[in-house]
Amino acid sequence: MTTADGQLVSYVDHGGDGPAVVLLHSFLMDASMWAPQVEAFGDRYRLIAIDERGHGATPATAPFDHWDVARDALAVLDELGIGGAAVAGTSQGGFVALRMALLAPERVTALVLLGTSGETEDEQISDAYQQLAEVWIAQGPDTVTEAVANICLGDYDASGWTPKWSEVEPERLRLIMNALVGREGVLDRITEVDVPALVLHGTADLAYPVAKAEALVAALPKAEPLVLVEGGAHFLSLTHAADVNPHVERFLSANL
C-alpha cells in the first residue's frame, strides 16, 4: 500500500476473524521474523506483520524517524479498515509500538514490548553502531556480520538472515541506522499510555540491560510485572519463541 504522503509500506495480513495484532520487527529484520508467532497463535488472532521503513520490501529514500514509521503502521490499519489493535514490537519494533500508542491512544488496545527501551541510545553505543555501519559500507557486510548476529541473535543460527543483511545498500543502511541511534526518549511520556502492557526481556540481552525493561514497567500505568526470559537474546521473540509465546498468548487472551 501507499500512504497519503506517498510512502510505500509492505505488510502481510495473515487474516482470520480474531482480534487484530500488529507485529513490528527489529532492526535489520522484516515481517517474516514473526513466523514463530504466526505458527503458534495465528489461528486465533488476525496477525498483521509490517515491514518497517527501510526494511524488507518497504523502501526508505529520505531521512525519517520512528514517529514516521508509527504513522506508516497506523496507515496500514486505515487501509485494512481496522479501528483498534494490539501492537507487539521487538527492539526497534518496540520503539515504534510506543510511538503508535502516543500518536493514537484510542487505536492501540494493548502493548507487548520485547527487548526494547523507552530511552535514547547511549552515546557511546550510538557511536559504536555508527562506526560499525561505516565499516560495513567500506569493507563489506561480511566484516561485521558475526558481530551484528552476536549482539542481536546470540547463539541463534543467523544463516537465514545474513544473506538479507548483505543486500542492504549503503544509503539505506545509513538511513535506518540514523533513525535507530538518533531517536529521542519517550519514557517521560509513556505515563500517558493507559493500556495493558506486557514487557519481556532476555537475561542475555547484549544490547539493553534489564534495567531498560524495568524502567518501561515502572513508567507504563497498566504494565504487568516484568517477564524475564532466562538466557534470552536481544531479538528474543525469534530466538526464544518457545519461552516467549506462552506469555504473549496468555496476555492477548486476557486483554483482547
Side-chain angles (χ1 to χ4, degrees):
M1 63 153 287
T2 303
T3 67
D5 60 0
Q7 173 66 42
L8 176 67
V9 182
S10 176
Y11 65 89
V12 180
D13 178 4
H14 291 281
D17 298 325
V21 182
V22 174
L23 303 174
L24 298 167
H25 61 75
S26 310
F27 183 70
L28 288 175
M29 308 299 270
D30 60 35
S32 68
M33 176 184 178
W34 294 98
Q37 287 70 42
V38 173
E39 180 179 358
F41 47 85
D43 57 336
R44 278 159 285 157
Y45 299 95
R46 184 179 180 180
L47 301 181
I48 302 154
I50 297 174
D51 281 346
E52 296 153 37
R53 200 177 295 201
H55 294 74
T58 297
T61 56
F64 67 92
D65 60 26
H66 292 131
W67 295 101
D68 295 317
V69 184
R71 293 184 187 94
D72 293 344
L74 291 166
V76 170
L77 293 182
D78 291 340
E79 172 81 6
L80 296 174
I82 296 172
V87 183
T90 298
S91 187
Q92 173 179 281
F95 311 154
V96 178
L98 288 168
R99 285 157 175 77
M100 287 180 70
L102 288 167
L103 286 171
E106 74 286 356
R107 302 191 69 181
V108 175
T109 58
L111 286 170
V112 179
L113 304 167
L114 305 103
T116 195
S117 167
E119 301 165 52
T120 57
E121 200 69 74
D122 177 87
E123 186 174 352
Q124 287 183 318
I125 292 175
S126 173
D127 290 344
Y129 285 172
Q130 288 180 307
Q131 289 171 13
L132 183 147
E134 291 307 316
V135 170
W136 177 322
I137 291 165
Q139 301 179 22
D142 290 347
T143 58
V144 298
T145 294
E146 185 176 346
V148 172
N150 186 53
I151 293 168
C152 298
L153 300 172
D155 295 331
Y156 184 84
D157 181 6
S159 61
W161 291 97
T162 49
K164 295 184 180 185
W165 297 349
S166 297
E167 295 172 3
V168 178
E169 309 89 345
E171 185 54 32
R172 180 155 61 112
L173 180 62
R174 287 195 178 103
L175 288 171
I176 62 175
M177 181 63 79
N178 288 342
L180 180 79
V181 302
R183 70 186 189 280
E184 80 279 32
V186 295
L187 202 59
D188 60 338
R189 289 193 56 196
I190 61 174
T191 54
E192 305 167 27
V193 180
D194 195 31
V195 298
L198 175 65
V199 180
L200 304 97
H201 208 87
T203 62
D205 190 319
L206 295 181
Y208 295 133
V210 170
K212 300 289 187 186
E214 292 171 339
L216 282 174
V217 170
L220 288 161
K222 293 185 179 177
E224 293 193 352
L226 174 63
V227 174
L228 288 178
V229 176
E230 189 62 36
H234 185 42
F235 292 176
L236 74 165
S237 58
L238 175 65
T239 63
H240 290 72
D243 299 306
V244 163
N245 286 349
H247 294 287
V248 177
E249 287 187 76
R250 178 203 54 77
F251 175 78
L252 293 177
S253 177
N255 291 286
L256 298 187

